[in-house]
Amino acid sequence: GVSTLVREARAGHAGIFVQFAGQGSSDYFVQLRTLYHSYPTVRRLVSHVASRLVEQETANEARALGFFKQHGMDIISWLKHTQHPSSASSSSSSPPSSLPITDSTHSRVPPDEYLMSAPVSYPLILLTQLCQYLATVE
């Protein structure tokens, strides 16, 4: 038979999603930025996903729980900013200096603690993995 979860999902009372996990490092954001600046198809995917994430950020549930209160989810601005807080002293992990810098404090890449929080890292790690796949097949 069909499980209760599948029955509820078909009826629109529950949602099902795939979750990739176990990567546990904020380095995913450096990888995502490199892919974003290297592949036009990745930029299109990221732009589409970013708009969906902003919708999630403003959802009543997210607001009530305060998930994105501190830094939001403006990943496009974060990707355009060249320096991640944890790489400020390390030139080896910094993106190339030819990438654009924005001067808005709201666009600065959030600290690792925020990037590693579940509401932020789960969708962005999955997005990074999808972008890696897209770049590989391109």
Side-chain angles (χ1 to χ4, degrees), residues 26 88 109 130 134:
S26 64
V109 179
L130 292 171
L134 187 59

Side-chain angles (χ1 to χ4, degrees), residues 2-132:
V2 176
S3 73
T4 302
L5 177 59
V6 171
R7 219 176 12 257
E8 291 294 308
R10 285 180 180 164
H13 301 294
I16 298 174
F17 64 93
V18 176
Q19 173 184 328
F20 293 85
Q23 287 70 33
S25 168
S26 64
D27 287 346
Y28 75 84
F29 198 79
V30 173
Q31 294 171 17
L32 182 59
R33 181 187 296 118
T34 300
L35 291 163
Y36 178 82
H37 288 284
S38 300
Y39 298 93
T41 54
V42 166
R43 280 193 294 280
R44 285 191 298 273
L45 173 63
V46 170
S47 294
H48 179 74
V49 170
S51 67
R52 300 294 183 212
L53 290 175
V54 168
E55 289 174 14
Q56 292 300 310
E57 172 191 355
T58 59
N60 290 337
E61 297 87 358
R63 283 186 179 181
L65 295 170
F67 284 153
F68 307 108
K69 184 176 182 181
Q70 193 173 17
H71 298 284
M73 275 297 273
D74 187 4
I75 65 171
I76 297 298
S77 292
W78 301 346
L79 290 168
K80 290 179 179 179
H81 196 276
T82 62
Q83 196 166 37
H84 185 281
S86 66
S87 65
S89 62
S90 170
S91 62
S92 63
S93 63
S94 296
S97 59
S98 62
L99 298 179
I101 291 181
T102 58
D103 55 7
S104 167
T105 56
H106 298 293
S107 65
R108 297 198 185 278
V109 179
D112 285 345
E113 297 78 32
Y114 187 76
L115 291 176
M116 291 309 302
S117 66
V120 176
S121 69
Y122 283 13
L124 294 186
I125 288 172
L126 174 59
L127 177 60
T128 302
Q129 293 172 331
L130 292 171
C131 291
Q132 279 285 12

